[in-house]
Amino acid sequence: MNSLPSTALIAASVLLPLLYPLLALRGVWRGALRALLPLLPLPALVLALLSASPWTLELPWLVLGSTWMLDELRRSFLLLTALLWSTAGLYAAGYLGAEQLRRFCVFWGFTLAGNLGLVLAGDMASFYMFFTVMTFAGYGLVVHEGSDRACFAGRVYLVMALIGEMALLAGFLLAFRAADSLLLADVAAAITTTGTDGWLIAALFLAGFGVKAGLPLLHFWLPLAHPVAPTPASAVLSGAMIKAGLLGWLLTLPIGESGWAPWGQFLMVLGFVGSLGAVLPGALQRDPKTVLAWSSISQMGLMAVLVGAALAAPGHAPLLVPLIALFALHHGLAKGCLFLAVGLVLPASRVLRLLLWLLLALPVVSLLGLPFTSGALAKGVMKDTLLALPGLPLGSQLPLLLQAATLATLVLVARYAWLLWRQLQPGTVATARWAGWALAVLCSAVLFWYLPGVG
């Protein structure tokens, strides 16, 4: 690996959001706090766009000796994270009142730093450190409103987070003992060569990251936490943070190694259970953000299906892993748009109202996979790839299950659209809120096609 970008740019990608909460120490810096919200992820966005080839940066003085890196897989996740946090940050600048600003920005900065850092981390210690920072700082975003409902959701979130973090810590400690190396790249090989211990390590990673990804029986926090968080926080929780669990699977599970077909079958079954099982509870909700939370569980189920397929068909992993990253990028951008739309109001002009609904329809049809959208590319390639792979688990049922998953998406987005139609009222909001939402729609509908690795 070569073509290392500026170390200052790499450092700024994580240090800028990490140091940002210091501005909250003094009330006179509130203007800077608000103005910097959309700018914090920009170094990471530039880093992702300018990194033409993979690179590795050794930091022997950090933690236990850290390795930061960016390859094609990480770049897709870095693009998603930076884009969504930037647009949500612009939205947040027009969303927050003066009395809420300082507390919100402290947790926002730490959560963002953890989310960006774990994407760049190439060693176990750094990855676990950043993952933990993101997880526990995210608790502050969940309970931000301070209502009884938010505090209850925060307690459930915290309990599930602790379960996940303990599983991950145990998994990383066992993996380090087996690999005698801190590099994440050595984890999969260690799992495949340690017999029963390897199965235990894989199970710990499957469960630990499954909490974040919303696997069935580990998903309880998600439909509680997303609706009570402030709207911009809900967008990044569902669009970017839960994808950290997906990235964790891709970096630690023995994808591409033979002998893991039963695990792949198990994960594919769990994925379809999550994708289809989220429909009924989601369709019965009366809060559009809660419907979107269940929709995220459903869509993450499809991504779990793809990860399971990569485990079950190791020879096709080089084809499936980029597809998973593409699917995550599509879903994160589209879902972020829908969450941000919940905090909008109806303009006075009929023309502007029509424009609002037309723009809102773009991420909706994208999630449905209609032609000329990012969803058409992601879901079309997913279906074609899965149906073409020989010997996959659930092979004869795959066409029916994929059609049912598409119907599930239709039900959930239709329920969301109906609730939003009834909820939005005439009024005025800050221009930054409109700008953040519009920029998110642009990224999802247009900019997506010009990003590296898309097409």
Side-chain angles (χ1 to χ4, degrees):
M1 294 187 182
N2 45 33
S3 301
L4 182 68
S6 166
T7 53
L9 181 61
I10 298 172
S13 299
V14 176
L15 288 180
L16 184 59
L18 190 62
L19 298 177
Y20 168 74
L22 293 176
L23 293 177
L25 293 177
R26 298 186 61 186
V28 295
W29 291 338
R30 285 180 178 175
L33 276 173
R34 192 182 298 275
L36 281 173
L37 274 169
L39 303 180
L40 296 176
L42 291 188
L45 180 59
V46 172
L47 181 65
L49 293 174
L50 294 184
S51 298
S53 59
W55 54 261
T56 300
L57 175 63
E58 301 290 342
L59 301 169
W61 48 269
L62 183 62
V63 195
L64 300 176
S66 295
T67 301
W68 290 11
M69 60 188 300
L70 195 67
D71 51 23
E72 285 302 315
L73 174 63
R74 287 176 171 87
R75 183 163 64 161
S76 294
F77 280 86
L78 190 64
L79 282 167
L80 165 62
T81 304
L83 281 171
L84 190 53
W85 277 88
S86 185
T87 55
L90 179 58
Y91 184 101
Y95 179 91
L96 297 166
E99 70 284 354
Q100 303 171 315
L101 185 65
R102 294 169 70 185
R103 181 175 71 252
F104 177 89
C105 289
V106 168
F107 292 108
W108 183 270
F110 285 133
T111 309
L112 172 57
N115 202 172
L116 293 172
L118 70 87
V119 176
L120 294 174
D123 65 282
M124 301 180 208
S126 295
F127 186 94
Y128 181 75
M129 176 185 68
F130 284 122
F131 194 94
T132 302
V133 169
M134 180 194 71
T135 296
F136 291 110
Y139 168 79
L141 298 177
V142 173
V143 300
H144 174 78
E145 299 294 343
S147 64
D148 291 342
R149 185 183 174 201
C151 291
F152 174 74
R155 287 194 294 271
V156 176
Y157 172 91
L158 202 55
V159 169
M160 296 304 297
L162 286 170
I163 292 173
E165 295 297 319
M166 288 189 292
L168 292 180
L169 179 59
F172 280 126
L173 290 174
L174 290 172
F176 171 70
R177 186 182 69 175
D180 195 24
S181 167
L182 280 172
L183 294 178
L184 283 170
D186 295 331
V187 172
I191 289 176
T192 59
T193 57
T194 53
T196 305
D197 284 349
W199 282 56
L200 175 59
I201 297 170
L204 289 169
F205 286 142
L206 189 64
F209 290 120
V211 171
K212 192 68 67 188
L215 270 186
L217 302 181
L218 300 173
H219 71 281
F220 302 111
W221 66 275
L222 206 151
L224 297 175
H226 289 203
V228 299
T231 298
S234 297
V236 295
L237 276 167
S238 183
M241 289 173 60
I242 63 175
K243 304 301 188 300
L246 179 66
L247 178 61
W249 281 339
L250 296 176
L251 294 177
T252 59
L253 293 179
I255 293 173
E257 303 287 343
S258 59
W260 292 86
W263 288 75
Q265 181 174 3
F266 175 68
L267 190 53
M268 289 183 70
V269 170
L270 274 184
F272 277 120
V273 168
S275 179
L276 303 179
V279 178
L280 182 59
L284 295 176
Q285 302 302 318
R286 298 184 178 182
D287 179 354
K289 287 171 70 175
T290 309
V291 176
L292 290 179
W294 283 104
S295 173
S296 292
I297 294 173
S298 179
Q299 295 295 300
M300 289 301 294
L302 289 178
M303 293 179 226
V305 168
L306 289 171
V307 176
L311 284 170
H316 298 279
L319 176 64
L320 288 168
V321 170
L323 171 58
I324 296 167
L326 176 67
F327 199 114
L329 182 64
H330 140 72
H331 174 262
L333 293 175
K335 189 57 64 70
C337 296
L338 298 184
F339 267 106
L340 295 179
V342 175
L344 300 178
V345 297
L346 292 176
S349 166
R350 290 186 177 181
V351 174
L352 291 179
R353 288 189 184 188
L354 177 60
L355 179 61
L356 168 65
W357 290 113
L358 288 175
L359 290 177
L360 184 61
L362 293 178
V364 169
V365 299
S366 180
L367 283 179
L368 291 174
L370 295 187
F372 308 110
T373 65
S374 61
L377 173 62
K379 292 193 172 183
V381 175
M382 178 192 73
K383 291 179 180 178
D384 292 343
T385 302
L386 288 179
L387 295 179
L389 293 182
L392 268 188
L394 308 173
S396 59
Q397 290 81 31
L398 269 179
L400 179 61
L401 290 171
L402 291 172
Q403 290 176 2
T406 300
L407 180 60
T409 302
L410 174 62
V411 171
L412 291 173
V413 297
R415 178 61 174 170
Y416 160 80
W418 168 250
L419 292 173
L420 193 67
W421 176 274
R422 298 184 61 185
Q423 174 182 300
L424 291 190
Q425 300 295 326
T428 58
V429 294
T431 303
R433 197 185 298 194
W434 284 106
W437 172 73
L439 185 58
V441 172
L442 177 67
C443 292
S444 176
V446 179
L447 185 60
F448 176 90
W449 299 95
Y450 297 95
L451 296 177
V454 173

